């Protein structure tokens, strides 16, 4: 029985038995042979042919019970080659029992005469050949229809998510515009003037200074622009410092560049040395091989 599964690996229940190929003597080999055939026929009655029913896939317990293992190559009894595979399994098993245990009263069942289908286990496990060509086409068409429907559902969900994101972006943009308008400041840092300067005039503050609007609130647009510029300059300096080929002031770090050049030269020299050493070792091995062959020939009287 299966106990656990992980990806392509399947953990099976421990079988308290011995592989038939490892058994050299049986108390009643004819009984074991008959039980093996009964198991093969029982599989056929459920719509399956093992396809590799031999001594390497049969385990025998102490009470002479037969357990079959290794099922990946199973096919349906409706498979075009099912009868041939069934007869081959019977013949291989009979030859083994005759060769190993000297069993002479052998029974050779066939799929057409000795197997009567009683169940459809092959359809449950989707064994090869369980469906006709037309049924296989219908099944593939059904699976393709389901995949297409699932793709349509996924695309609709993605479109809905994109629309939600666009709406959220639009709402956030409108909210920012409302906040700027309420503060009395436009994107260029222009504030509404008081009544003393006349209607429609505006008071412009130089960058970095703080201006007050009609409500006495402080505007920080110009200051924010300066902060952004300063942060960008600091980031550029940090990126320049991260490059070890340059000094913090932007000049080339000649010492580091020279050390890297020397390192590359040493690496190339070591590579060439290793290649030469390998060639010398190979030549030495060939010479030793020739010496051994000559010495062996002399000891065998080859040069006499």
């Amino acid at each position: 029985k299966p106990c656990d599964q992980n990806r392509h690996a399947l953990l099976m229940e421990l079988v308290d038995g011995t592989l038939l190929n490892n058994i050299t003597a049986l108390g009643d080999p004819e009984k074991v042979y008959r039980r093996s055939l009964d198991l093969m026929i029982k599989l056929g009655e459920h719509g399956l042919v093992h396809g590799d029913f031999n001594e390497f896939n049969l385990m025998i317990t102490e009470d002479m019970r037969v357990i079959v293992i290794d099922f990946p190559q199973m096919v349906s009894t409706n498979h075009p080659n099912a009868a041939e595979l069934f007869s081959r399994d019977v013949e291989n098993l009979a030859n083994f029992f005759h060769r190993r245990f000297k069993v002479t009263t052998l029974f050779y069942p066939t799929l057409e005469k000795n197997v009567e289908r009683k169940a459809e286990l092959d359809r449950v496990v989707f064994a090869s050949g369980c469906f006709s060509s037309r049924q296989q086409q219908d099944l593939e068409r059904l699976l393709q229809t389901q995949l297409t429907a699932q793709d349509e559902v996924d695309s609709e969900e993605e479109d809905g998510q994109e629309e939600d994101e666009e709406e959220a972006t639009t709402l956030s943009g409108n909210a920012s515009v409302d906040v700027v308008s309420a503060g009395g400041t436009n994107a260029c840092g222009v504030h509404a003037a008081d009544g003393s300067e006349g209607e429609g005039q505006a008071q412009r503050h130089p960058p970095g200074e703080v201006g007050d609007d009609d409500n006495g609130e402080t505007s920080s647009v110009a200051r924010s622009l300066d902060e952004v510029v300063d942060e960008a300059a600091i980031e550029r300096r940090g990126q320049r410092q991260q490059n070890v080929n340059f000094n913090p002031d932007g000049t080339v770090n000649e010492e580091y560049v020279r050390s890297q050049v020397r390192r590359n030269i040493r690496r190339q020299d070591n590579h060439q040395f290793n290649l030469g050493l390998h060639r010398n070792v190979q030549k030495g091995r060939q010479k030793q091989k020739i010496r051994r062959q000559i010495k062996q020939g002399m000891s065998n009287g080859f040069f006499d």
Side-chain angles (χ1 to χ4, degrees):
K1 296 180 180 180
C3 299
D4 199 359
Q5 179 266 340
N6 185 2
R7 292 177 296 173
H8 62 280
L10 184 64
L11 179 63
M12 303 295 293
E13 179 185 7
L14 178 63
V15 178
D16 188 12
T18 306
L19 199 65
L20 181 58
N21 185 61
N22 299 332
I23 298 176
T24 57
L26 286 173
D28 192 353
E30 294 183 0
K31 183 178 181 180
V32 175
Y33 174 72
R34 187 67 190 213
R35 286 184 175 180
S36 301
L37 291 181
D38 292 341
L39 185 57
M40 189 184 303
I41 294 173
K42 186 176 181 180
L43 286 173
E45 291 176 349
H46 286 75
L48 292 171
V49 177
H50 190 276
D52 196 17
F53 202 93
N54 53 38
E55 64 273 16
F56 298 100
N57 294 324
L58 294 176
M59 301 191 71
I60 311 300
T61 62
E62 293 182 356
D63 56 350
M64 297 298 175
R65 190 164 56 94
V66 181
I67 300 175
V68 63
I69 60 175
D70 191 10
F71 307 100
Q73 69 285 336
M74 272 191 172
V75 298
S76 171
T77 52
N78 295 331
H79 194 278
N81 300 329
E84 180 182 355
L85 294 174
F86 187 89
S87 299
R88 187 187 66 180
D89 288 345
V90 173
E91 184 177 357
N92 291 337
L93 189 65
N95 292 336
F96 172 77
F97 272 86
H98 178 69
R99 182 178 64 256
R100 177 74 60 90
F101 305 110
K102 309 304 179 184
V103 177
T104 56
T105 57
L106 298 175
F107 172 60
Y108 292 87
T110 60
L111 187 63
E112 296 84 356
K113 297 180 180 180
N114 304 99
V115 177
E116 181 181 357
R117 189 178 181 116
K118 299 179 180 179
E120 295 184 352
L121 185 59
D122 54 341
R123 293 182 179 272
V124 176
V125 298
F126 290 94
S128 177
C130 63
F131 297 106
S132 63
S133 58
R134 182 179 297 276
Q135 292 174 342
Q136 187 71 24
Q137 293 176 0
D138 294 340
L139 180 61
E140 292 177 357
R141 191 180 301 109
L142 177 61
L143 293 176
Q144 185 64 30
T145 303
Q146 293 179 353
L147 291 175
T148 304
Q150 184 64 31
D151 293 340
E152 292 178 355
V153 172
D154 295 340
S155 61
E156 291 178 358
E157 292 179 355
E158 292 178 358
D159 295 339
Q161 293 178 358
E162 292 178 357
E163 292 178 357
D164 295 339
E165 292 177 357
E166 291 178 358
E167 292 179 358
T169 305
T170 304
L171 292 175
S172 61
N174 294 335
S176 61
V177 171
D178 295 340
V179 171
V180 172
S181 300
T185 307
N186 57 16
C188 297
V190 179
H191 301 267
D194 54 8
S196 61
E197 296 184 2
E199 185 178 359
Q201 295 181 353
Q203 181 180 1
R204 188 180 301 273
H205 296 273
E209 294 185 1
V210 179
D212 297 334
D213 56 6
D214 295 338
N215 298 326
E217 297 179 355
T218 302
S219 174
S220 60
V221 175
R223 183 177 58 191
S224 299
L225 292 175
D226 292 339
E227 291 177 356
V228 171
V229 173
D230 295 339
E231 291 177 358
I234 294 172
E235 184 178 358
R236 285 196 299 272
R237 286 196 296 270
Q239 292 177 355
R240 184 179 299 173
Q241 291 176 0
Q242 291 177 359
N243 191 347
V244 294
N245 292 325
F246 296 92
N247 294 320
D249 56 355
T251 59
V252 178
N253 190 350
E254 297 181 358
E255 183 178 358
Y256 178 78
V257 173
R258 290 195 186 96
S259 64
Q260 291 298 315
V261 172
R262 289 194 295 267
R263 179 182 178 184
N264 292 334
I265 293 174
R266 287 196 301 269
R267 185 178 299 172
Q268 293 178 1
D269 292 342
N270 293 335
H271 180 66
Q272 295 295 332
F273 175 78
N274 291 333
L275 290 178
L277 181 62
H278 179 71
R279 286 194 294 267
N280 293 334
V281 170
Q282 293 296 328
K283 291 180 180 178
R285 290 178 179 175
Q286 292 177 359
K287 292 179 180 179
Q288 291 178 0
K289 183 178 179 180
I290 294 173
R291 292 193 188 99
R292 286 196 301 268
Q293 292 177 352
I294 294 174
K295 187 175 180 180
Q296 184 177 2
M298 293 176 63
S299 62
N300 295 335
F302 180 77
F303 296 100
D304 294 343

